[in-house]
PDB file of all heavy atoms in Angstrom:
ATOM      1  N   ARG A   8       7.235  10.034  17.094  1.00 83.00           N
ATOM      2  CA  ARG A   8       6.910   8.899  16.234  1.00 83.00           C
ATOM      3  C   ARG A   8       8.157   8.404  15.476  1.00 83.00           C
ATOM      4  O   ARG A   8       8.037   7.716  14.480  1.00 83.00           O
ATOM      5  CB  ARG A   8       5.802   9.262  15.256  1.00 83.00           C
ATOM      6  CG  ARG A   8       4.490   9.626  15.994  1.00 83.00           C
ATOM      7  CD  ARG A   8       3.291   9.837  15.098  1.00 83.00           C
ATOM      8  NE  ARG A   8       2.999   8.682  14.314  1.00 83.00           N
ATOM      9  CZ  ARG A   8       3.150   8.584  12.992  1.00 83.00           C
ATOM     10  NH1 ARG A   8       3.562   9.639  12.310  1.00 83.00           N
ATOM     11  NH2 ARG A   8       2.857   7.495  12.353  1.00 83.00           N
ATOM     12  N   PHE A  20      -0.316  10.644  12.912  1.00 80.00           N
ATOM     13  CA  PHE A  20      -0.562   9.654  11.878  1.00 80.00           C
ATOM     14  C   PHE A  20      -1.381  10.254  10.724  1.00 80.00           C
ATOM     15  O   PHE A  20      -1.163   9.983   9.562  1.00 80.00           O
ATOM     16  CB  PHE A  20      -1.306   8.469  12.483  1.00 80.00           C
ATOM     17  CG  PHE A  20      -1.651   7.378  11.530  1.00 80.00           C
ATOM     18  CD1 PHE A  20      -0.705   6.487  11.062  1.00 80.00           C
ATOM     19  CD2 PHE A  20      -2.965   7.223  11.084  1.00 80.00           C
ATOM     20  CE1 PHE A  20      -1.019   5.475  10.170  1.00 80.00           C
ATOM     21  CE2 PHE A  20      -3.290   6.217  10.174  1.00 80.00           C
ATOM     22  CZ  PHE A  20      -2.322   5.350   9.730  1.00 80.00           C
ATOM     23  N   ASP A  27       0.897  11.115   2.489  1.00 89.00           N
ATOM     24  CA  ASP A  27       1.022   9.884   1.715  1.00 89.00           C
ATOM     25  C   ASP A  27       0.077   9.959   0.497  1.00 89.00           C
ATOM     26  O   ASP A  27       0.463   9.580  -0.617  1.00 89.00           O
ATOM     27  CB  ASP A  27       0.680   8.684   2.584  1.00 89.00           C
ATOM     28  CG  ASP A  27       0.817   7.373   1.836  1.00 89.00           C
ATOM     29  OD1 ASP A  27       1.969   7.018   1.471  1.00 89.00           O
ATOM     30  OD2 ASP A  27      -0.212   6.715   1.586  1.00 89.00           O
ATOM     31  N   LYS A  34       2.454  11.309  -7.853  1.00 96.00           N
ATOM     32  CA  LYS A  34       3.005  10.238  -8.686  1.00 96.00           C
ATOM     33  C   LYS A  34       2.118  10.016  -9.914  1.00 96.00           C
ATOM     34  O   LYS A  34       2.608   9.842 -11.030  1.00 96.00           O
ATOM     35  CB  LYS A  34       3.141   8.937  -7.891  1.00 96.00           C
ATOM     36  CG  LYS A  34       3.785   7.807  -8.684  1.00 96.00           C
ATOM     37  CD  LYS A  34       3.710   6.479  -7.961  1.00 96.00           C
ATOM     38  CE  LYS A  34       4.737   6.360  -6.866  1.00 96.00           C
ATOM     39  NZ  LYS A  34       4.740   4.994  -6.283  1.00 96.00           N
ATOM     40  N   SER A  78      -4.330  20.879 -18.760  1.00 90.00           N
ATOM     41  CA  SER A  78      -4.779  21.796 -17.714  1.00 90.00           C
ATOM     42  C   SER A  78      -5.108  21.055 -16.423  1.00 90.00           C
ATOM     43  O   SER A  78      -4.856  21.560 -15.323  1.00 90.00           O
ATOM     44  CB  SER A  78      -5.974  22.615 -18.196  1.00 90.00           C
ATOM     45  OG  SER A  78      -7.034  21.785 -18.594  1.00 90.00           O
ATOM     46  N   ARG A  82      -3.305  21.607 -12.868  1.00 89.00           N
ATOM     47  CA  ARG A  82      -4.106  21.798 -11.649  1.00 89.00           C
ATOM     48  C   ARG A  82      -3.599  20.890 -10.512  1.00 89.00           C
ATOM     49  O   ARG A  82      -3.400  21.305  -9.379  1.00 89.00           O
ATOM     50  CB  ARG A  82      -5.565  21.528 -11.965  1.00 89.00           C
ATOM     51  CG  ARG A  82      -6.532  21.484 -10.813  1.00 89.00           C
ATOM     52  CD  ARG A  82      -6.836  22.850 -10.284  1.00 89.00           C
ATOM     53  NE  ARG A  82      -5.911  23.284  -9.243  1.00 89.00           N
ATOM     54  CZ  ARG A  82      -5.749  24.541  -8.852  1.00 89.00           C
ATOM     55  NH1 ARG A  82      -6.410  25.506  -9.434  1.00 89.00           N
ATOM     56  NH2 ARG A  82      -4.894  24.834  -7.907  1.00 89.00           N
ATOM     57  N   ARG A 131      20.072  38.881  -3.796  1.00 90.00           N
ATOM     58  CA  ARG A 131      18.673  39.260  -4.092  1.00 90.00           C
ATOM     59  C   ARG A 131      17.953  38.155  -4.842  1.00 90.00           C
ATOM     60  O   ARG A 131      16.788  37.874  -4.548  1.00 90.00           O
ATOM     61  CB  ARG A 131      18.719  40.532  -4.937  1.00 90.00           C
ATOM     62  CG  ARG A 131      17.383  40.898  -5.575  1.00 90.00           C
ATOM     63  CD  ARG A 131      16.579  41.862  -4.739  1.00 90.00           C
ATOM     64  NE  ARG A 131      15.391  42.263  -5.430  1.00 90.00           N
ATOM     65  CZ  ARG A 131      14.161  42.043  -4.973  1.00 90.00           C
ATOM     66  NH1 ARG A 131      13.970  41.465  -3.826  1.00 90.00           N
ATOM     67  NH2 ARG A 131      13.109  42.449  -5.675  1.00 90.00           N
ATOM     68  N   ASP A 134      17.035  35.630  -2.060  1.00 91.00           N
ATOM     69  CA  ASP A 134      16.204  36.096  -0.962  1.00 91.00           C
ATOM     70  C   ASP A 134      14.766  36.385  -1.363  1.00 91.00           C
ATOM     71  O   ASP A 134      13.839  36.272  -0.585  1.00 91.00           O
ATOM     72  CB  ASP A 134      16.842  37.355  -0.339  1.00 91.00           C
ATOM     73  CG  ASP A 134      16.153  37.756   0.946  1.00 91.00           C
ATOM     74  OD1 ASP A 134      15.890  36.886   1.790  1.00 91.00           O
ATOM     75  OD2 ASP A 134      15.862  38.959   1.121  1.00 91.00           O
ATOM     76  N   ALA A 135      14.582  36.804  -2.634  1.00 90.00           N
ATOM     77  CA  ALA A 135      13.259  37.220  -3.078  1.00 90.00           C
ATOM     78  C   ALA A 135      12.360  36.063  -3.506  1.00 90.00           C
ATOM     79  O   ALA A 135      11.197  36.264  -3.826  1.00 90.00           O
ATOM     80  CB  ALA A 135      13.401  38.201  -4.247  1.00 90.00           C
ATOM     81  N   ASP A 137      10.693  32.175  -3.049  1.00 92.00           N
ATOM     82  CA  ASP A 137      10.352  30.970  -2.266  1.00 92.00           C
ATOM     83  C   ASP A 137      10.421  29.801  -3.226  1.00 92.00           C
ATOM     84  O   ASP A 137       9.413  29.394  -3.825  1.00 92.00           O
ATOM     85  CB  ASP A 137       8.967  31.089  -1.657  1.00 92.00           C
ATOM     86  CG  ASP A 137       8.952  31.993  -0.437  1.00 92.00           C
ATOM     87  OD1 ASP A 137      10.017  32.479  -0.021  1.00 92.00           O
ATOM     88  OD2 ASP A 137       7.865  32.219   0.112  1.00 92.00           O
ATOM     89  N   ARG A 140       7.920  26.913  -4.194  1.00 92.00           N
ATOM     90  CA  ARG A 140       6.758  27.252  -3.383  1.00 92.00           C
ATOM     91  C   ARG A 140       6.878  26.761  -1.935  1.00 92.00           C
ATOM     92  O   ARG A 140       5.875  26.626  -1.231  1.00 92.00           O
ATOM     93  CB  ARG A 140       5.436  26.711  -3.989  1.00 92.00           C
ATOM     94  CG  ARG A 140       5.294  27.119  -5.477  1.00 92.00           C
ATOM     95  CD  ARG A 140       3.918  26.841  -6.019  1.00 92.00           C
ATOM     96  NE  ARG A 140       2.899  27.626  -5.341  1.00 92.00           N
ATOM     97  CZ  ARG A 140       2.746  28.926  -5.490  1.00 92.00           C
ATOM     98  NH1 ARG A 140       3.539  29.620  -6.284  1.00 92.00           N
ATOM     99  NH2 ARG A 140       1.797  29.561  -4.817  1.00 92.00           N
ATOM    100  N   LYS A 169      15.772   7.052   2.378  1.00 89.00           N
ATOM    101  CA  LYS A 169      16.969   6.643   3.111  1.00 89.00           C
ATOM    102  C   LYS A 169      18.217   7.031   2.323  1.00 89.00           C
ATOM    103  O   LYS A 169      19.208   6.300   2.303  1.00 89.00           O
ATOM    104  CB  LYS A 169      16.939   5.146   3.390  1.00 89.00           C
ATOM    105  CG  LYS A 169      15.744   4.775   4.304  1.00 89.00           C
ATOM    106  CD  LYS A 169      15.664   3.281   4.575  1.00 89.00           C
ATOM    107  CE  LYS A 169      14.448   3.005   5.480  1.00 89.00           C
ATOM    108  NZ  LYS A 169      14.221   1.578   5.670  1.00 89.00           N
ATOM    109  N   GLU A 246      29.037  31.255  -6.455  1.00 96.00           N
ATOM    110  CA  GLU A 246      29.759  32.138  -7.363  1.00 96.00           C
ATOM    111  C   GLU A 246      30.876  32.902  -6.657  1.00 96.00           C
ATOM    112  O   GLU A 246      31.463  33.813  -7.249  1.00 96.00           O
ATOM    113  CB  GLU A 246      28.784  33.096  -8.055  1.00 96.00           C
ATOM    114  CG  GLU A 246      27.905  33.920  -7.123  1.00 96.00           C
ATOM    115  CD  GLU A 246      26.587  33.246  -6.776  1.00 96.00           C
ATOM    116  OE1 GLU A 246      26.584  32.039  -6.517  1.00 96.00           O
ATOM    117  OE2 GLU A 246      25.549  33.956  -6.738  1.00 96.00           O
ATOM    118  N   ASP A 271      24.863  34.614 -13.022  1.00 95.00           N
ATOM    119  CA  ASP A 271      25.409  34.116 -11.759  1.00 95.00           C
ATOM    120  C   ASP A 271      25.798  32.648 -11.869  1.00 95.00           C
ATOM    121  O   ASP A 271      26.798  32.209 -11.270  1.00 95.00           O
ATOM    122  CB  ASP A 271      24.386  34.326 -10.637  1.00 95.00           C
ATOM    123  CG  ASP A 271      24.085  35.802 -10.439  1.00 95.00           C
ATOM    124  OD1 ASP A 271      24.910  36.495  -9.828  1.00 95.00           O
ATOM    125  OD2 ASP A 271      23.043  36.251 -10.933  1.00 95.00           O
ATOM    126  N   THR A 313       8.337  27.799 -14.320  1.00 91.00           N
ATOM    127  CA  THR A 313       8.618  29.195 -14.109  1.00 91.00           C
ATOM    128  C   THR A 313       7.340  29.958 -13.758  1.00 91.00           C
ATOM    129  O   THR A 313       7.321  30.794 -12.838  1.00 91.00           O
ATOM    130  CB  THR A 313       9.291  29.809 -15.349  1.00 91.00           C
ATOM    131  OG1 THR A 313      10.588  29.230 -15.482  1.00 91.00           O
ATOM    132  CG2 THR A 313       9.411  31.307 -15.252  1.00 91.00           C
ATOM    133  N   THR A 317       7.295  28.640  -8.966  1.00 91.00           N
ATOM    134  CA  THR A 317       8.275  29.543  -8.382  1.00 91.00           C
ATOM    135  C   THR A 317       9.715  29.108  -8.689  1.00 91.00           C
ATOM    136  O   THR A 317      10.523  28.937  -7.813  1.00 91.00           O
ATOM    137  CB  THR A 317       8.062  29.706  -6.861  1.00 91.00           C
ATOM    138  OG1 THR A 317       6.664  29.816  -6.606  1.00 91.00           O
ATOM    139  CG2 THR A 317       8.731  30.962  -6.367  1.00 91.00           C
ATOM    140  N   THR A 336      35.139  26.593 -21.233  1.00 97.00           N
ATOM    141  CA  THR A 336      35.711  26.803 -19.893  1.00 97.00           C
ATOM    142  C   THR A 336      36.600  25.648 -19.453  1.00 97.00           C
ATOM    143  O   THR A 336      37.529  25.831 -18.670  1.00 97.00           O
ATOM    144  CB  THR A 336      34.574  27.009 -18.871  1.00 97.00           C
ATOM    145  OG1 THR A 336      33.713  28.058 -19.310  1.00 97.00           O
ATOM    146  CG2 THR A 336      35.076  27.333 -17.489  1.00 97.00           C
TER     147      THR A 336
ATOM    148  N   MET B   1      40.300  29.810 -22.291  1.00 36.00           N
ATOM    149  CA  MET B   1      39.270  29.577 -21.283  1.00 36.00           C
ATOM    150  C   MET B   1      38.558  30.892 -20.920  1.00 36.00           C
ATOM    151  O   MET B   1      39.195  31.910 -20.714  1.00 36.00           O
ATOM    152  CB  MET B   1      39.920  28.959 -20.020  1.00 36.00           C
ATOM    153  CG  MET B   1      38.910  28.501 -18.997  1.00 36.00           C
ATOM    154  SD  MET B   1      39.764  27.861 -17.528  1.00 36.00           S
ATOM    155  CE  MET B   1      39.974  29.376 -16.591  1.00 36.00           C
ATOM    156  N   ALA B   6      34.586  36.317 -10.863  1.00 34.00           N
ATOM    157  CA  ALA B   6      33.751  35.639  -9.885  1.00 34.00           C
ATOM    158  C   ALA B   6      33.516  36.476  -8.647  1.00 34.00           C
ATOM    159  O   ALA B   6      32.730  36.121  -7.793  1.00 34.00           O
ATOM    160  CB  ALA B   6      34.381  34.316  -9.481  1.00 34.00           C
ATOM    161  N   VAL B  10      26.624  39.948  -7.428  1.00 40.00           N
ATOM    162  CA  VAL B  10      25.733  39.146  -8.244  1.00 40.00           C
ATOM    163  C   VAL B  10      24.744  40.033  -8.961  1.00 40.00           C
ATOM    164  O   VAL B  10      24.471  41.154  -8.555  1.00 40.00           O
ATOM    165  CB  VAL B  10      24.954  38.129  -7.382  1.00 40.00           C
ATOM    166  CG1 VAL B  10      25.912  37.129  -6.782  1.00 40.00           C
ATOM    167  CG2 VAL B  10      24.188  38.844  -6.275  1.00 40.00           C
ATOM    168  N   THR B  11      24.196  39.530 -10.036  1.00 43.00           N
ATOM    169  CA  THR B  11      23.249  40.299 -10.834  1.00 43.00           C
ATOM    170  C   THR B  11      21.892  40.314 -10.168  1.00 43.00           C
ATOM    171  O   THR B  11      21.514  39.384  -9.480  1.00 43.00           O
ATOM    172  CB  THR B  11      23.107  39.708 -12.232  1.00 43.00           C
ATOM    173  OG1 THR B  11      22.798  38.342 -12.096  1.00 43.00           O
ATOM    174  CG2 THR B  11      24.363  39.880 -13.025  1.00 43.00           C
ATOM    175  N   ASP B  19       9.060  41.671  -8.795  1.00 53.00           N
ATOM    176  CA  ASP B  19       9.833  42.085  -7.614  1.00 53.00           C
ATOM    177  C   ASP B  19       9.944  40.994  -6.576  1.00 53.00           C
ATOM    178  O   ASP B  19      10.899  40.907  -5.846  1.00 53.00           O
ATOM    179  CB  ASP B  19       9.188  43.325  -7.007  1.00 53.00           C
ATOM    180  CG  ASP B  19      10.007  43.891  -5.893  1.00 53.00           C
ATOM    181  OD1 ASP B  19      11.185  44.159  -6.162  1.00 53.00           O
ATOM    182  OD2 ASP B  19       9.492  44.096  -4.768  1.00 53.00           O
ATOM    183  N   TRP B  21       9.012  36.751  -5.576  1.00 76.00           N
ATOM    184  CA  TRP B  21       8.496  35.427  -5.906  1.00 76.00           C
ATOM    185  C   TRP B  21       8.199  34.653  -4.625  1.00 76.00           C
ATOM    186  O   TRP B  21       8.299  33.435  -4.605  1.00 76.00           O
ATOM    187  CB  TRP B  21       9.500  34.677  -6.787  1.00 76.00           C
ATOM    188  CG  TRP B  21       9.477  35.182  -8.179  1.00 76.00           C
ATOM    189  CD1 TRP B  21       9.912  36.412  -8.621  1.00 76.00           C
ATOM    190  CD2 TRP B  21       9.022  34.503  -9.348  1.00 76.00           C
ATOM    191  NE1 TRP B  21       9.735  36.536  -9.979  1.00 76.00           N
ATOM    192  CE2 TRP B  21       9.220  35.373 -10.453  1.00 76.00           C
ATOM    193  CE3 TRP B  21       8.461  33.250  -9.570  1.00 76.00           C
ATOM    194  CZ2 TRP B  21       8.857  35.008 -11.763  1.00 76.00           C
ATOM    195  CZ3 TRP B  21       8.129  32.884 -10.866  1.00 76.00           C
ATOM    196  CH2 TRP B  21       8.313  33.769 -11.936  1.00 76.00           C
ATOM    197  N   ARG B  22       7.857  35.367  -3.582  1.00 79.00           N
ATOM    198  CA  ARG B  22       7.518  34.698  -2.345  1.00 79.00           C
ATOM    199  C   ARG B  22       6.081  34.247  -2.383  1.00 79.00           C
ATOM    200  O   ARG B  22       5.263  34.796  -3.101  1.00 79.00           O
ATOM    201  CB  ARG B  22       7.751  35.638  -1.171  1.00 79.00           C
ATOM    202  CG  ARG B  22       9.230  35.945  -0.957  1.00 79.00           C
ATOM    203  CD  ARG B  22       9.452  36.845   0.208  1.00 79.00           C
ATOM    204  NE  ARG B  22      10.884  37.126   0.377  1.00 79.00           N
ATOM    205  CZ  ARG B  22      11.372  37.978   1.267  1.00 79.00           C
ATOM    206  NH1 ARG B  22      10.558  38.632   2.073  1.00 79.00           N
ATOM    207  NH2 ARG B  22      12.666  38.143   1.376  1.00 79.00           N
ATOM    208  N   VAL B  23       5.769  33.226  -1.570  1.00 80.00           N
ATOM    209  CA  VAL B  23       4.419  32.703  -1.517  1.00 80.00           C
ATOM    210  C   VAL B  23       3.959  32.662  -0.065  1.00 80.00           C
ATOM    211  O   VAL B  23       4.771  32.687   0.847  1.00 80.00           O
ATOM    212  CB  VAL B  23       4.324  31.265  -2.093  1.00 80.00           C
ATOM    213  CG1 VAL B  23       4.727  31.273  -3.542  1.00 80.00           C
ATOM    214  CG2 VAL B  23       5.163  30.300  -1.305  1.00 80.00           C
ATOM    215  N   TYR B  25       0.661  30.761   2.380  1.00 79.00           N
ATOM    216  CA  TYR B  25      -0.473  29.855   2.393  1.00 79.00           C
ATOM    217  C   TYR B  25      -1.465  30.274   3.482  1.00 79.00           C
ATOM    218  O   TYR B  25      -1.051  30.829   4.467  1.00 79.00           O
ATOM    219  CB  TYR B  25       0.008  28.425   2.639  1.00 79.00           C
ATOM    220  CG  TYR B  25       0.854  27.889   1.535  1.00 79.00           C
ATOM    221  CD1 TYR B  25       2.248  27.954   1.591  1.00 79.00           C
ATOM    222  CD2 TYR B  25       0.262  27.329   0.382  1.00 79.00           C
ATOM    223  CE1 TYR B  25       3.028  27.471   0.552  1.00 79.00           C
ATOM    224  CE2 TYR B  25       1.054  26.820  -0.625  1.00 79.00           C
ATOM    225  CZ  TYR B  25       2.426  26.899  -0.560  1.00 79.00           C
ATOM    226  OH  TYR B  25       3.182  26.407  -1.590  1.00 79.00           O
ATOM    227  N   GLU B  27      -3.264  29.831  -0.249  1.00 74.00           N
ATOM    228  CA  GLU B  27      -3.118  30.630  -1.454  1.00 74.00           C
ATOM    229  C   GLU B  27      -4.398  30.591  -2.279  1.00 74.00           C
ATOM    230  O   GLU B  27      -5.190  29.650  -2.130  1.00 74.00           O
ATOM    231  CB  GLU B  27      -1.969  30.085  -2.290  1.00 74.00           C
ATOM    232  CG  GLU B  27      -2.198  28.658  -2.750  1.00 74.00           C
ATOM    233  CD  GLU B  27      -1.098  28.115  -3.610  1.00 74.00           C
ATOM    234  OE1 GLU B  27      -0.271  28.923  -4.061  1.00 74.00           O
ATOM    235  OE2 GLU B  27      -1.059  26.919  -3.848  1.00 74.00           O
ATOM    236  N   PRO B  29      -6.662  29.655  -5.348  1.00 72.00           N
ATOM    237  CA  PRO B  29      -6.545  28.398  -6.103  1.00 72.00           C
ATOM    238  C   PRO B  29      -5.950  28.539  -7.493  1.00 72.00           C
ATOM    239  O   PRO B  29      -5.389  27.606  -8.031  1.00 72.00           O
ATOM    240  CB  PRO B  29      -7.967  27.883  -6.172  1.00 72.00           C
ATOM    241  CG  PRO B  29      -8.828  29.108  -6.028  1.00 72.00           C
ATOM    242  CD  PRO B  29      -8.059  30.015  -5.120  1.00 72.00           C
ATOM    243  N   PHE B  32      -6.911  27.131 -13.884  1.00 83.00           N
ATOM    244  CA  PHE B  32      -6.256  26.248 -14.851  1.00 83.00           C
ATOM    245  C   PHE B  32      -7.267  25.580 -15.794  1.00 83.00           C
ATOM    246  O   PHE B  32      -6.897  25.119 -16.857  1.00 83.00           O
ATOM    247  CB  PHE B  32      -5.504  25.116 -14.112  1.00 83.00           C
ATOM    248  CG  PHE B  32      -4.333  25.608 -13.332  1.00 83.00           C
ATOM    249  CD1 PHE B  32      -4.450  26.017 -12.025  1.00 83.00           C
ATOM    250  CD2 PHE B  32      -3.067  25.663 -13.918  1.00 83.00           C
ATOM    251  CE1 PHE B  32      -3.371  26.464 -11.307  1.00 83.00           C
ATOM    252  CE2 PHE B  32      -1.964  26.090 -13.206  1.00 83.00           C
ATOM    253  CZ  PHE B  32      -2.120  26.508 -11.909  1.00 83.00           C
ATOM    254  N   ASP B  76      -1.210   6.636  15.909  1.00 65.00           N
ATOM    255  CA  ASP B  76      -0.055   7.502  16.087  1.00 65.00           C
ATOM    256  C   ASP B  76       1.138   6.779  16.664  1.00 65.00           C
ATOM    257  O   ASP B  76       2.269   7.207  16.511  1.00 65.00           O
ATOM    258  CB  ASP B  76      -0.423   8.682  17.003  1.00 65.00           C
ATOM    259  CG  ASP B  76      -1.353   9.647  16.322  1.00 65.00           C
ATOM    260  OD1 ASP B  76      -1.353   9.713  15.076  1.00 65.00           O
ATOM    261  OD2 ASP B  76      -2.124  10.323  17.031  1.00 65.00           O
ATOM    262  N   ASP B  82       9.259  -1.736   6.384  1.00 82.00           N
ATOM    263  CA  ASP B  82       9.441  -1.367   4.990  1.00 82.00           C
ATOM    264  C   ASP B  82       8.449  -2.141   4.113  1.00 82.00           C
ATOM    265  O   ASP B  82       7.900  -1.598   3.141  1.00 82.00           O
ATOM    266  CB  ASP B  82      10.870  -1.668   4.537  1.00 82.00           C
ATOM    267  CG  ASP B  82      11.858  -0.680   5.131  1.00 82.00           C
ATOM    268  OD1 ASP B  82      11.407   0.360   5.681  1.00 82.00           O
ATOM    269  OD2 ASP B  82      13.065  -0.948   5.055  1.00 82.00           O
ATOM    270  N   ARG B  92      -2.250   2.594  -2.254  1.00 88.00           N
ATOM    271  CA  ARG B  92      -2.532   4.023  -2.477  1.00 88.00           C
ATOM    272  C   ARG B  92      -2.478   4.358  -3.965  1.00 88.00           C
ATOM    273  O   ARG B  92      -3.341   5.049  -4.503  1.00 88.00           O
ATOM    274  CB  ARG B  92      -1.509   4.858  -1.716  1.00 88.00           C
ATOM    275  CG  ARG B  92      -1.660   6.348  -1.908  1.00 88.00           C
ATOM    276  CD  ARG B  92      -0.333   7.055  -1.691  1.00 88.00           C
ATOM    277  NE  ARG B  92       0.665   6.603  -2.627  1.00 88.00           N
ATOM    278  CZ  ARG B  92       1.984   6.711  -2.443  1.00 88.00           C
ATOM    279  NH1 ARG B  92       2.452   7.239  -1.339  1.00 88.00           N
ATOM    280  NH2 ARG B  92       2.854   6.288  -3.350  1.00 88.00           N
ATOM    281  N   ASP B  93      -1.448   3.826  -4.655  1.00 92.00           N
ATOM    282  CA  ASP B  93      -1.312   4.122  -6.083  1.00 92.00           C
ATOM    283  C   ASP B  93      -2.522   3.585  -6.860  1.00 92.00           C
ATOM    284  O   ASP B  93      -3.009   4.239  -7.806  1.00 92.00           O
ATOM    285  CB  ASP B  93      -0.036   3.534  -6.636  1.00 92.00           C
ATOM    286  CG  ASP B  93       1.215   4.243  -6.057  1.00 92.00           C
ATOM    287  OD1 ASP B  93       1.031   5.333  -5.508  1.00 92.00           O
ATOM    288  OD2 ASP B  93       2.297   3.669  -6.174  1.00 92.00           O
TER     289      ASP B  93
END
Side-chain angles (χ1 to χ4, degrees):
Chain A
R8 299 186 60 247
F20 179 76
D27 181 67
K34 183 189 282 187
S78 56
R82 171 75 271 162
R131 168 94 175 120
D134 189 45
D137 284 356
R140 309 191 63 71
K169 297 178 180 175
E246 55 270 43
D271 297 283
T313 291
T317 318
T336 306
Chain B
M1 188 182 86
V10 295
T11 52
D19 187 54
W21 286 68
R22 293 181 180 174
V23 299
Y25 294 96
E27 61 179 347
F32 292 89
D76 289 334
D82 287 348
R92 178 205 61 201
D93 292 344

